[in-house]
């Protein structure tokens, strides 16, 4: 390996142990860890894997919550060397980057030009663009700005046999597209087969995809062809390193907003909060977050100043962010939304407005407070991520949350609920003892029941964190018809199953 790689190669136990975990509950010891210095290194490692049947696992910051950034073969860590901005064009609103660049670092540079890359996972201060593409990451502001997939325009990808391709939007009536289909290479074979797969199954894809605005489960095959334009780049977004290794990405960037401000709205019932969501969405907020009573109680218990701030009868809180060109426009939008909540709908019993950076930070602190608290909990039962990323259409949110409470109660579990209400994306962490086989069985049963409920409501089992090792075994519940199409996608791109085997397609272990 050292002979074919200019970057760093590690075989030692300590390094391998460091890379045996991500932010999930899983642990898999890799064979080796490689920090590629350039595209040539990536090609050589992939060719080595292809020849020798050794699996290759692309990795950014390793902050995945579902076990998709680990594996038993060679880990390719892009953070050390392949982390640069390759080209930036602020007039034409795009940037080419290497996959290992940290999202926040990219935005620090773009900010100087009044631009930003909008998808905003809570992990943006350490997660990489490669990992965001791998997971189709998104965050609080995706209710306005969309998800990573909406910003990936072109990619350079090393395929499973080591060939490198440049993917971009191509009109299907163009000569260029015909040439792609006619190529006598692995790339040509992929274009022919994936295009045919898409066309042959168009109706089933359309019919079977969850009816939600964010989805990190399965392959995003429905994005391949839009308005007669075929863009192979889209299938790599959310593919968790299972279809190809991204070595460069062209991302769309947008203008920074003029001003941002927040509303903190208090409700004396969950129903009143969820019933306000659809109306609030009409006013185009840039974030719309929800917290349930148990979440609020937890925050109140741990922070005295929150106790004073949150009225005793509060059963649910919405944090609603708006953007405006200037302060006047922003204030007007905040006032309108406040009026909607307190007068027009009459659902909130109190609404506070925050306009300064400090005030906004204080309010967002309420939203961020719970996870650090539960992570510090002592005792055998911890709060692992296992049903932490559910998504349903926002108009089904109340039905979903109530159903979820019922299911958890059936299994004797309690939980806190919070998340991106504007897109129906709920984060929840019931307590589980991962060393207790009974609790592990309970965990599986909860997943199965809750995923069935999600599917009944036309939702997805992951909105932004991905399938990984955690959710892949449940994909048959979500995609009874599409799963066989996903298997074909995997086989088209990775016939030897060397690219991050385990996540997305699991040949023998579906529930
Ligand atoms: C505290 C915390 C908060 C989080 N909050 C959010 C959130 O709000 N929203 C959200 O979406 N996620 C969130 N996550 C999950 C995770 O941080 C994000 O999905 C993030 O984008 C992953 O980036 P990463 O660099 O850590 O990628 P990794 O975890 O290293 O990799 C992610 C996936 O991408 C693949 N991959 C990485 N690089 C490449 C490449 N070059 N080519 C092909 N595939 C590649 C990997 O194989 C893996 O399957 C959170 C995680 C934590 C720990």
């Amino acid at each position: 390996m050292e002979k074919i790689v200019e970057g760093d190669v590690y075989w030692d136990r300590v390094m391998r142990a460091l890379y045996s975990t991500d932010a999930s509950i899983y642990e898999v010891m890799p064979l080796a860890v490689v920090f590629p210095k350039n595209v040539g290194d990536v090609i050589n490692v992939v060719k080595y894997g292809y020849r020798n049947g050794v699996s290759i696992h692309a990795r950014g910051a390793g902050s995945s919550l579902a076990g998709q950034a680990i594996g038993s073969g060679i880990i390719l860590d892009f953070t050390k060397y392949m982390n640069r901005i390759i080209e930036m064009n602020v007039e034409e609103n795009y940037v080419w980057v290497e996959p290992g660049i940290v999202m926040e670092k990219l935005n620090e540079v773009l900010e100087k030009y009044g631009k930003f890359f909008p998808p905003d996972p809570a992990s943006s201060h350490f997660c990489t663009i490669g990992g965001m593409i791998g997971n189709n990451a998104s965050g609080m502001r995706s209710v306005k700005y969309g998800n990573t997939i909406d910003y990936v325009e072109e990619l350079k990808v090393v395929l499973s046999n080591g060939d490198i391709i440049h993917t971009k939007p191509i009109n299907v009536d163009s000569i260029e597209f015909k040439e792609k289909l006619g190529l006598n290479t692995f790339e040509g074979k992929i274009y022919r087969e994936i295009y045919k797969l898409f066309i042959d199954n168009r109706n089933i894809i359309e019919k079977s995809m969850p009816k939600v605005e964010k989805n990190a489960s399965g392959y995003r095959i429905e994005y391949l062809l839009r308005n007669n334009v075929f863009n192979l780049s889209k299938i790599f977004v959310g593919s968790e390193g299972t279809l190809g290794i991204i070595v460069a990405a062209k991302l769309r960037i947008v203008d920074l907003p003029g001003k941002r401000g927040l509303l903190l709205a208090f409700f004396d019932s969950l129903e009143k909060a969820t019933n306000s969501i659809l109306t609030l969405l009409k006013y185009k907020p840039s974030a719309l977050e929800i917290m349930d009573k148990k979440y609020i109680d937890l925050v109140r218990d741990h922070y005295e100043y929150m106790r004073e701030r949150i009225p005793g009868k509060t059963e649910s809180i919405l944090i609603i962010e708006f953007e405006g060109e200037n302060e006047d426009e922003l204030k007007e939008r905040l006032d309108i939304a406040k009026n909607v909540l307190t007068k027009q709908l009459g659902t909130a019993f109190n609404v506070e407005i925050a306009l300064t950076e400090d005030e906004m930070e204080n309010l967002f602190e309420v939203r961020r407070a719970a996870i650090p608290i539960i992570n510090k909990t002592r005792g055998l039962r911890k709060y692992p991520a296992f049903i932490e990323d559910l998504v349903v259409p926002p108009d089904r949110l109340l039905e979903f949350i109530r159903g979820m409470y019922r299911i958890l109660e059936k299994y004797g579990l309690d939980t806190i609920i919070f998340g991106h209400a504007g897109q129906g994306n709920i984060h929840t962490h019931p307590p589980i003892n991962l060393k207790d086989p009974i609790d592990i069985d309970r965990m599986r049963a909860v997943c199965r029941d809750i995923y069935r409920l999600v599917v009944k409501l036309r939702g997805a089992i992951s909105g932004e964190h991905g399938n990984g090792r955690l959710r892949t075994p449940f994909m048959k519940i979500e995609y009874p018809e599409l799963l066989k199409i996903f298997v074909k996608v995997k086989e088209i791109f990775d016939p030897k199953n060397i690219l991050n085997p385990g996540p997305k397609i699991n040949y023998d272990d579906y529930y």
Side-chain angles (χ1 to χ4, degrees):
M1 182 66 58
E2 285 79 354
K3 285 192 194 134
I4 58 168
V5 170
E6 281 181 39
D8 312 337
V9 182
Y10 294 90
W11 303 94
D12 63 282
R13 231 191 128 66
V14 173
M15 199 60 157
R16 286 164 53 222
L18 281 174
Y19 280 81
S20 65
T21 57
D22 48 15
S24 72
I25 55 178
Y26 296 90
E27 192 175 332
V28 181
M29 193 68 144
L31 185 67
V33 178
V34 172
F35 297 102
K37 216 166 215 172
N38 48 46
V39 176
D41 279 359
V42 179
I43 291 174
N44 288 343
V45 171
V46 174
K47 280 188 173 163
Y48 174 91
Y50 190 75
R51 266 197 317 272
N52 298 296
V54 176
S55 58
I56 310 292
H57 313 272
R59 177 160 164 139
S63 67
S64 285
L65 292 157
Q68 63 267 48
I70 49 177
S72 59
I74 300 169
I75 302 278
L76 271 181
D77 180 333
F78 288 94
T79 56
K80 186 167 179 189
Y81 299 115
M82 294 184 68
N83 56 16
R84 287 160 300 189
I85 293 177
I86 301 166
E87 183 197 341
M88 187 165 57
N89 188 327
V90 286
E91 281 78 38
E92 292 182 30
N93 284 317
Y94 72 81
V95 60
W96 269 102
V97 296
E98 290 181 317
I101 188 166
V102 169
M103 143 104 196
E104 200 174 76
K105 292 246 162 68
L106 172 63
N107 272 341
E108 276 167 21
V109 175
L110 294 175
E111 195 184 351
K112 294 180 193 143
Y113 301 88
K115 302 283 176 184
F116 78 123
F117 172 65
D120 61 336
S123 52
S124 51
H125 48 297
F126 50 84
C127 77
T128 65
I129 294 296
M132 288 180 69
I133 297 175
N135 287 348
N136 190 18
S138 56
M140 282 200 285
R141 297 202 173 99
S142 55
V143 67
K144 172 169 179 183
Y145 289 100
N147 314 313
T148 300
I149 196 161
D150 301 308
Y151 294 86
V152 174
E153 295 189 333
E154 301 180 24
L155 292 174
K156 292 192 179 154
V157 182
V158 175
L159 299 173
S160 62
N161 70 343
D163 286 357
I164 183 162
I165 61 167
H166 177 175
T167 60
K168 58 181 183 171
I170 311 177
N171 191 299
V172 289
D173 296 327
S174 67
I175 294 173
E176 191 179 7
F177 193 66
K178 288 193 180 69
E179 282 171 358
K180 284 279 180 213
L181 295 178
L183 285 173
N184 191 19
T185 57
F186 189 30
E187 178 184 14
K189 185 169 181 290
I190 287 175
Y191 267 94
R192 283 189 294 281
E193 292 184 4
I194 202 81
Y195 184 58
K196 182 171 185 321
L197 186 71
F198 178 83
I199 297 296
D200 289 352
N201 295 285
R202 214 173 177 164
N203 290 341
I204 202 174
I205 292 167
E206 167 79 12
K207 189 182 90 184
S208 310
M209 276 297 171
K211 303 298 172 236
V212 285
E213 280 177 21
K214 53 163 70 173
N215 182 3
S217 177
Y219 291 123
R220 298 278 57 78
I221 192 165
E222 77 277 22
Y223 275 79
L224 276 174
L225 183 64
R226 299 236 154 143
N227 304 321
N228 223 32
V229 172
F230 190 84
N231 191 347
L232 195 63
S233 318
K234 302 291 181 181
I235 198 87
F236 293 101
V237 187
S239 70
E240 299 177 18
T242 63
L243 302 181
I245 310 287
I246 296 151
V247 288
K250 182 183 176 188
L251 309 171
R252 183 163 65 88
I253 53 176
V254 301
D255 291 339
L256 276 168
K259 290 288 286 173
R260 282 188 177 131
L262 287 181
L263 296 178
L264 184 68
F266 299 94
F267 301 84
D268 58 19
S269 78
L270 180 69
E271 194 170 355
K272 285 183 184 166
T274 52
N275 283 348
S276 310
I277 292 168
L278 290 190
T279 309
L280 284 169
L281 285 174
K282 290 186 195 149
Y283 297 90
K284 307 260 178 269
S286 47
L288 176 41
E289 299 289 300
I290 192 165
M291 283 150 273
D292 79 337
K293 166 103 169 71
K294 286 181 180 143
Y295 183 106
I296 295 163
D297 288 345
L298 186 80
V299 173
R300 257 214 221 95
D301 283 352
H302 283 78
Y303 294 98
E304 204 176 323
Y305 66 94
M306 299 282 186
R307 215 170 300 148
E308 288 157 16
R309 180 155 207 170
I310 303 171
K313 62 176 176 175
T314 311
E315 294 275 323
S316 182
I317 291 177
L318 292 181
I319 296 183
I320 312 128
E321 184 191 74
F322 285 95
E323 294 175 345
E325 292 269 307
N326 51 48
E327 187 124 1
D328 288 344
E329 186 192 308
L330 175 64
K331 271 193 180 144
E332 193 187 329
R333 304 190 71 193
L334 290 166
D335 284 340
I336 291 173
K338 181 175 176 177
N339 198 47
V340 165
L341 288 170
T342 52
K343 302 214 171 81
Q344 190 185 316
L345 294 174
T347 43
F349 68 82
N350 186 26
V351 178
E352 291 179 20
I353 293 187
L355 277 168
T356 68
E357 286 289 322
D358 281 354
E359 282 174 323
M360 286 196 284
E361 189 44 40
N362 278 341
L363 295 195
F364 270 133
E365 204 183 320
V366 181
R367 163 66 174 79
R368 288 194 293 255
I371 293 297
I373 296 170
I374 60 175
N375 281 344
K376 281 187 212 137
T377 310
R378 287 171 188 273
L380 294 173
R381 275 192 161 173
K382 303 288 181 202
Y383 296 82
F386 72 100
I387 45 164
E388 84 298 351
D389 190 29
L390 307 153
V391 52
V392 295
D395 61 336
R396 314 297 296 269
L397 200 54
L398 181 63
E399 198 180 342
F400 175 62
I401 293 176
R402 286 191 172 147
M404 187 155 72
Y405 283 147
R406 270 196 301 275
I407 291 168
L408 291 172
E409 206 177 303
K410 180 173 122 191
Y411 292 100
L413 294 172
D414 210 1
T415 194
I416 55 166
I417 290 178
F418 60 103
H420 316 303
Q423 293 181 302
N425 187 195
I426 288 300
H427 299 315
T428 183
H429 292 252
I432 288 285
N433 178 359
L434 290 169
K435 294 194 174 122
D436 178 355
I438 296 173
D439 255 19
I440 299 283
D441 283 349
R442 201 193 313 257
M443 191 170 118
R444 283 204 192 97
V446 167
C447 287
R448 199 192 48 224
D449 285 8
I450 288 195
Y451 293 157
R452 282 187 184 142
L453 175 64
V454 165
V455 171
K456 198 176 111 196
L457 300 175
R458 303 300 316 263
I461 64 176
S462 173
E464 46 188 36
H465 300 166
N467 295 112
R469 286 171 167 70
L470 183 67
R471 280 176 273 269
T472 294
F474 297 94
M475 280 173 66
K476 213 177 205 166
I477 296 177
E478 184 179 16
Y479 294 118
E481 290 181 285
L482 276 184
L483 193 58
K484 49 185 183 298
I485 294 172
F486 292 160
V487 171
K488 283 191 182 138
V489 170
K490 173 72 173 170
E491 286 170 356
I492 289 170
F493 282 89
D494 185 19
K496 290 195 178 183
N497 195 23
I498 59 153
L499 295 179
N500 208 15
K504 295 289 175 196
I505 301 300
N506 179 334
Y507 287 99
D508 48 24
D509 194 16
Y510 288 106
Y511 295 118

